Amino acid sequence: MDILKKIQDHREHEEELKWEGTFSEYLDLLKERPHLAQSAHSRVYNMIKSAGVVEEHDHKRYKFFDEDIYGLDEAMEKLVEEYFHPAARRLDVRKRILLLMGPVSGGKSTLVNLLKRGMEKYTHTDEGAVFAIKGCPMHEDPLHLVPSHLRKEFQEEYGIRIEGSLSPLNTMRVETEYGGRIEDVLVERVFFSEDKRTGIGTFSPSDPKSQDIADLTGAIDFSTIAQYGSESDPRAYRFDGELNKANRGIMEFQEMLKCDEKFLWHLLSLTQEGNFKAGRFALISADELIVAHTNEAEYRSFIANKKNEALHSRMIVMPVPYNLRVSQEERIYEKMIRESDIKDVHIAPHTLRVAAMFTILTRLKESKKASIDVLKKMRLYDGEILEGFSDVDVEELKKEHSDEGMSGIDPRYVINRISSTIIKKELTSINALDVLRSLKDGLGSHASISNDDKERYLDFISLARKEYDEIAKKEVQKAFVYSYEESAVTLMNNYLDNVEAYCNKAKLRDPLTGEELNPDERLMRSIEEQIGVSENAKKAFREEILIRISAYARKGKKFDYQSHERLREAIQKKLFADLKDVVKITTSTKTPDEQQLKKVNEVVATLVDEHGYNSSSANELLKYVGSLLNR
């Protein structure tokens, strides 16, 4: 990749996108493309929608969030459907501050950054193009040039409603630079950029004694007062506060409720009326989406204070809980590792999954249903199909606790413990046991974990360890069965011959003696019992297998033990049960004989080639499973 060539291409592309013309020419553009006059809220909603919407099980998944927000599809759907969409339609929610409230490291900042980066890209597209009065520090909407008394007629002709008044600075510029001829006022296309302070503003609270309200609304430039003669001359004012620069786009308030009250009062008028007070001027119009974020404790403290009631009614609070799906939590860790300096360390398969199991368990609330423990709940939330449970049950579970996911272990703690393990022990490879051990060791030094929670979390580590034991045994089972592929095929063919004879009420013929034999019930049951097929269900299971074989035959396809998922599992388990002694011997013997060593090497090779281990983690897995089987 020639990075300099790509930079040059990007620069040339930006040059091609640039546009400049008079207000009269801009109106001609609007006739062709009326969407150019969309509001800030509408632009954000259209940006999200343009990335694609997938409808799944009566829910909408907005693909805009897919690459950065994991496991929060329902929270994102609620955010779009209850805030962005109605705000884009000019309903009253657009006059509210969007407050994202959730636990630490739950994705609030990631979500806001995603919106900001998205808007930067979107304004480079035809659908998201933004035009502003040239030379205006607030990138003001050119339609503010249309006088109030003509706006109704303008709406009838163009189908566009104009909101907001021309700013003091541009009012003066129209008179002094253009002689009152608004049709000659220059208009240019602008591109949002947080770095260049165009259309995106960010306000972060600091020491109230040193932070100035000018950070939000701009300030008088005292060096120009002698030139312009008055503090009320707009040319003597710097319109460079965050509210000024965020006009037409997004204004982020980081940790909003930590702000001094005087900074928040400016938001009352901005949210409700679309304007704010700055200097010795009339109210200044601004069209911007205000998004803030805070944690639950600060929010509870804020609403308990009666002095803040005016702001309460001007907020839409959107909970952003922790993810509650194991598979999605795993993706969070993978992303955090990719972005770190530990990405070159070999992480054995299932390591992050087991860590994710522990983390999710800490976030779940006990179900009111006696038939569902936390492990079942964890599996159901992750989309696993459990016998006796449906999607309706999952929806009911989610409604039991409105605050589920608002507490528990955060992803940063897990990544910190993984990093600590790697760095302290200078490891080049880690497995699930290393991580569980590190998670356990770190609980004592975690400042926000109470003693009661610590006891619960230790129990969850034990549960995650038991889950890993089963995963590890299955992994070795599959590797051994793969090495004994011939045995698996023979066992399956033997089973199928007996099933066919059983279903057809026929006899089998002994290949050596030619003697007619009844189907081997003992063999069939020894395989079927591996996957919990009961005596009453055996006939239906066998007939299902026979139907599947016939279907394959009709399509000219070969049926093997991989063709039926439950049969494959049964064959693997049966074979592994028969091979347990071999596993025990080959993994526990300090000096295995040549035959045993060959078998171990075959299994290690299978784990490396087929399952993503390296030789070190594969050997550790074999030793661990051997110790489990020898208990």
Side-chain angles (χ1 to χ4, degrees), residues 491-529:
L491 181 60
M492 186 205 71
N493 287 336
N494 199 357
Y495 173 76
L496 293 180
D497 288 342
N498 280 276
V499 163
E500 191 173 0
Y502 169 85
C503 291
N504 294 329
K505 296 183 173 56
K507 299 273 188 181
L508 288 166
R509 192 172 294 278
D510 189 300
L512 293 177
T513 64
E515 178 188 0
E516 284 194 337
L517 303 169
N518 288 321
D520 190 342
E521 185 66 23
R522 190 173 170 186
L523 169 73
M524 290 187 286
R525 292 302 294 142
S526 70
I527 291 170
E528 291 157 358
E529 284 170 352

XYZ file of all heavy atoms in Angstrom, residues 491-529:
319
model
N -17.511 -47.453 13.015
C -18.543 -47.481 14.052
C -19.871 -46.973 13.487
O -20.930 -47.546 13.751
C -18.092 -46.613 15.236
C -19.039 -46.529 16.438
C -19.289 -47.904 17.041
C -18.478 -45.587 17.513
N -19.798 -45.900 12.690
C -21.029 -45.340 12.137
C -21.687 -46.324 11.162
O -22.903 -46.537 11.199
C -20.755 -44.020 11.419
C -22.036 -43.337 10.952
S -21.825 -42.236 9.556
C -21.514 -43.409 8.247
N -20.883 -46.913 10.272
C -21.438 -47.851 9.300
C -22.102 -49.047 9.995
O -23.166 -49.516 9.576
C -20.349 -48.335 8.347
C -19.955 -47.245 7.354
O -20.741 -46.340 7.080
N -18.741 -47.314 6.849
N -21.469 -49.493 11.066
C -22.027 -50.605 11.848
C -23.373 -50.202 12.453
O -24.360 -50.940 12.401
C -21.030 -50.995 12.951
C -21.293 -52.376 13.497
O -22.259 -53.044 13.112
N -20.432 -52.818 14.406
N -23.421 -48.955 12.990
C -24.657 -48.446 13.585
C -25.753 -48.325 12.535
O -26.889 -48.746 12.736
C -24.382 -47.086 14.239
C -25.627 -46.383 14.744
C -26.258 -46.785 15.927
C -26.196 -45.322 14.032
C -27.410 -46.154 16.375
C -27.339 -44.681 14.473
C -27.943 -45.099 15.656
O -29.086 -44.473 16.092
N -25.407 -47.772 11.371
C -26.399 -47.573 10.311
C -26.949 -48.897 9.783
O -28.148 -49.003 9.490
C -25.796 -46.760 9.163
C -25.446 -45.286 9.466
C -24.866 -44.613 8.234
C -26.653 -44.519 9.974
N -26.086 -49.912 9.664
C -26.558 -51.234 9.226
C -27.604 -51.769 10.194
O -28.646 -52.303 9.777
C -25.382 -52.222 9.147
C -24.461 -51.916 7.962
O -24.908 -51.202 7.041
O -23.305 -52.390 7.975
N -27.334 -51.592 11.482
C -28.259 -52.089 12.496
C -29.557 -51.274 12.519
O -30.642 -51.831 12.691
C -27.584 -52.057 13.880
C -26.652 -53.232 14.095
O -27.080 -54.321 14.478
N -25.369 -53.038 13.829
N -29.458 -49.952 12.330
C -30.646 -49.098 12.300
C -31.540 -49.468 11.119
O -32.767 -49.563 11.247
C -30.236 -47.602 12.226
C -31.401 -46.729 11.784
C -29.718 -47.122 13.577
N -30.917 -49.691 9.962
C -31.682 -50.045 8.772
C -32.432 -51.360 8.975
O -33.612 -51.484 8.641
C -30.737 -50.151 7.565
C -31.470 -50.244 6.244
C -30.522 -50.187 5.058
O -29.287 -50.077 5.260
O -31.021 -50.270 3.927
N -31.726 -52.350 9.573
C -32.365 -53.644 9.832
C -33.493 -53.487 10.844
O -34.573 -54.066 10.692
C -31.315 -54.635 10.350
N -33.275 -52.665 11.880
C -34.278 -52.454 12.927
C -35.545 -51.823 12.336
O -36.662 -52.270 12.598
C -33.688 -51.554 14.021
C -34.707 -51.057 15.024
C -35.060 -51.839 16.120
C -35.321 -49.812 14.861
C -36.001 -51.386 17.043
C -36.266 -49.348 15.763
C -36.601 -50.141 16.864
O -37.541 -49.703 17.753
N -35.364 -50.758 11.528
C -36.518 -50.037 10.972
C -37.279 -50.878 9.946
O -38.502 -50.756 9.802
C -36.055 -48.727 10.331
S -35.468 -47.498 11.522
N -36.552 -51.723 9.237
C -37.192 -52.559 8.208
C -37.605 -53.936 8.737
O -38.036 -54.800 7.950
C -36.244 -52.736 7.015
C -35.990 -51.424 6.294
O -36.864 -50.556 6.263
N -34.815 -51.271 5.724
N -37.423 -54.088 10.083
C -37.739 -55.376 10.721
C -37.072 -56.534 9.971
O -37.674 -57.567 9.663
C -39.255 -55.592 10.785
C -39.987 -54.570 11.651
C -41.472 -54.862 11.744
C -42.166 -53.962 12.740
N -42.005 -52.540 12.512
N -35.782 -56.332 9.674
C -35.013 -57.335 8.920
C -33.898 -57.893 9.786
O -33.674 -57.455 10.921
C -34.445 -56.693 7.666
N -33.182 -58.911 9.230
C -32.053 -59.531 9.925
C -30.754 -59.047 9.287
O -30.732 -58.621 8.134
C -32.127 -61.056 9.793
C -33.386 -61.680 10.391
C -33.200 -61.974 11.858
C -34.395 -62.767 12.400
N -34.245 -63.048 13.848
N -29.678 -59.134 10.057
C -28.342 -58.848 9.547
C -27.630 -60.175 9.290
O -27.922 -61.183 9.940
C -27.532 -58.017 10.565
C -27.944 -56.553 10.749
C -27.294 -55.990 12.003
C -27.536 -55.720 9.548
N -26.678 -60.164 8.354
C -25.944 -61.392 8.071
C -24.505 -61.224 8.531
O -23.841 -60.243 8.188
C -25.994 -61.702 6.574
C -25.510 -63.119 6.207
C -25.778 -63.415 4.752
N -27.197 -63.478 4.441
C -27.932 -64.576 4.651
N -27.391 -65.673 5.168
N -29.224 -64.575 4.344
N -24.019 -62.166 9.334
C -22.637 -62.126 9.815
C -21.703 -62.294 8.618
O -21.820 -63.273 7.873
C -22.405 -63.257 10.834
C -21.047 -63.117 11.518
O -20.025 -63.145 10.795
O -21.011 -62.983 12.750
N -20.770 -61.327 8.387
C -19.911 -61.382 7.199
C -18.971 -62.595 7.176
O -18.511 -63.003 6.122
C -19.115 -60.077 7.284
C -19.180 -59.654 8.704
C -20.489 -60.146 9.221
N -18.700 -63.172 8.364
C -17.789 -64.316 8.405
C -18.536 -65.647 8.302
O -18.196 -66.518 7.492
C -16.960 -64.287 9.701
C -15.949 -63.135 9.830
C -15.265 -63.187 11.180
C -14.897 -63.210 8.709
N -19.583 -65.810 9.132
C -20.261 -67.116 9.204
C -21.483 -67.196 8.291
O -21.981 -68.282 8.002
C -20.714 -67.398 10.650
O -21.697 -66.418 11.016
C -19.534 -67.321 11.620
N -21.967 -65.997 7.851
C -23.181 -65.990 7.048
C -24.441 -66.197 7.864
O -25.545 -66.265 7.325
N -24.288 -66.265 9.152
C -25.429 -66.494 10.054
C -26.311 -65.241 10.125
O -25.827 -64.121 10.120
C -24.874 -66.835 11.442
C -25.938 -67.065 12.500
C -25.318 -67.207 13.903
O -24.076 -67.133 14.046
O -26.093 -67.359 14.842
N -27.634 -65.436 10.168
C -28.569 -64.312 10.304
C -28.649 -63.878 11.759
O -28.783 -64.715 12.663
C -29.960 -64.711 9.794
C -30.052 -64.752 8.284
C -31.492 -64.802 7.805
O -32.369 -65.233 8.589
O -31.741 -64.393 6.655
N -28.540 -62.536 11.970
C -28.523 -62.004 13.339
C -29.581 -60.927 13.492
O -29.911 -60.204 12.545
C -27.156 -61.392 13.647
C -25.916 -62.282 13.505
C -24.655 -61.440 13.584
C -25.915 -63.367 14.595
N -30.122 -60.799 14.724
C -31.017 -59.680 15.039
C -30.198 -58.395 15.133
O -29.002 -58.425 15.453
C -31.736 -59.924 16.368
C -32.785 -61.018 16.248
O -33.479 -61.102 15.237
N -32.875 -61.868 17.260
N -30.815 -57.209 14.866
C -30.087 -55.942 15.048
C -29.504 -55.857 16.464
O -30.144 -56.275 17.434
C -31.165 -54.886 14.831
C -32.195 -55.557 13.978
C -32.196 -56.993 14.397
N -28.283 -55.312 16.542
C -27.555 -55.242 17.828
C -28.079 -54.056 18.653
O -27.601 -52.922 18.527
C -26.056 -55.099 17.559
C -25.222 -55.258 18.822
O -25.783 -55.131 19.924
O -24.007 -55.503 18.694
N -29.090 -54.351 19.474
C -29.725 -53.306 20.288
C -28.722 -52.666 21.255
O -28.739 -51.462 21.497
C -30.900 -53.906 21.054
C -31.727 -52.894 21.851
C -32.466 -51.894 20.970
O -32.706 -52.211 19.789
O -32.780 -50.797 21.461
N -27.855 -53.483 21.778
C -26.875 -52.991 22.754
C -25.948 -51.959 22.115
O -25.649 -50.922 22.712
C -26.081 -54.186 23.284
C -25.203 -53.863 24.467
C -24.607 -55.132 25.019
N -23.592 -54.853 26.000
C -22.823 -55.778 26.554
N -22.980 -57.058 26.219
N -21.912 -55.463 27.438
N -25.493 -52.261 20.900
C -24.611 -51.320 20.197
C -25.349 -50.007 19.919
O -24.823 -48.923 20.179
C -24.140 -51.931 18.872
C -23.430 -50.937 17.929
C -22.033 -50.611 18.447
C -23.347 -51.464 16.518
N -26.574 -50.107 19.378
C -27.318 -48.900 19.024
C -27.580 -48.030 20.253
O -27.426 -46.807 20.209
C -28.646 -49.284 18.345
C -28.465 -49.869 16.948
S -30.037 -50.130 16.077
C -30.675 -51.566 16.940
N -27.985 -48.670 21.355
C -28.276 -47.889 22.565
C -27.009 -47.275 23.148
O -27.032 -46.158 23.691
C -28.957 -48.780 23.630
C -30.345 -49.232 23.287
C -31.309 -48.064 23.028
N -31.548 -47.269 24.216
C -31.676 -45.958 24.225
N -31.582 -45.268 23.094
N -31.915 -45.309 25.338
N -25.870 -47.971 23.027
C -24.616 -47.428 23.586
C -24.216 -46.130 22.881
O -23.559 -45.266 23.464
C -23.486 -48.458 23.457
O -23.104 -48.624 22.100
N -24.628 -46.001 21.616
C -24.346 -44.768 20.865
C -25.405 -43.713 21.160
O -25.105 -42.548 21.439
C -24.274 -45.067 19.349
C -23.022 -45.913 19.060
C -24.262 -43.777 18.527
C -22.959 -46.473 17.666
N -26.673 -44.109 21.121
C -27.778 -43.151 21.308
C -27.792 -42.539 22.699
O -28.150 -41.366 22.880
C -29.113 -43.850 21.025
C -29.291 -44.207 19.559
C -30.270 -45.352 19.320
O -30.804 -45.902 20.302
O -30.483 -45.708 18.146
N -27.391 -43.324 23.692
C -27.385 -42.811 25.072
C -26.354 -41.696 25.265
O -26.463 -40.899 26.201
C -27.111 -43.961 26.049
C -28.332 -44.861 26.254
C -27.988 -46.135 27.017
O -26.781 -46.385 27.245
O -28.924 -46.875 27.364
